[in-house]
Amino acid sequence: MAILTKLEPVRPLFVLLALGLIVLAGRKLYRAAEACEPGMPCADPRVRRRQRLVFWWVSIPLVGLLAFPWYARWFY
């Protein structure tokens, strides 16, 4: 664990990168749908619904992990 403390100075950069990627993924999923040919996976509304579900399954725990240093004191 002592080795990981060397990365502490770049932690804000990684947090901003992770949040930026979450925003970009959410924007792609929730903006107006692009035209898609019939028979393609993107034309099936179930595919978009599953993508959004996986997005939230990943985003919520990720934001919780990013905020861990602020609430970690409650566990010690």
Side-chain angles (χ1 to χ4, degrees):
M1 293 303 284
I3 295 171
L4 294 177
T5 59
K6 290 181 181 179
L7 294 176
E8 187 64 29
V10 293
R11 185 177 179 277
L13 177 67
F14 290 135
V15 168
L16 286 176
L17 179 67
L19 291 176
L21 291 174
I22 288 173
V23 168
L24 287 175
R27 211 173 120 204
K28 183 162 177 63
L29 283 173
Y30 284 98
R31 69 177 182 183
E34 299 173 4
C36 190
E37 295 179 23
M40 297 293 292
C42 58
D44 188 1
R46 293 178 297 171
V47 171
R48 174 130 352 223
R49 189 172 34 244
R50 274 187 248 135
Q51 288 175 340
R52 289 177 178 172
L53 184 63
V54 169
F55 169 77
W56 287 110
W57 279 352
V58 170
S59 297
I60 291 171
L62 180 61
V63 170
L65 287 172
L66 290 174
F68 184 74
W70 291 296
Y71 64 83
R73 63 182 172 180
W74 296 334
F75 295 106
Y76 299 107

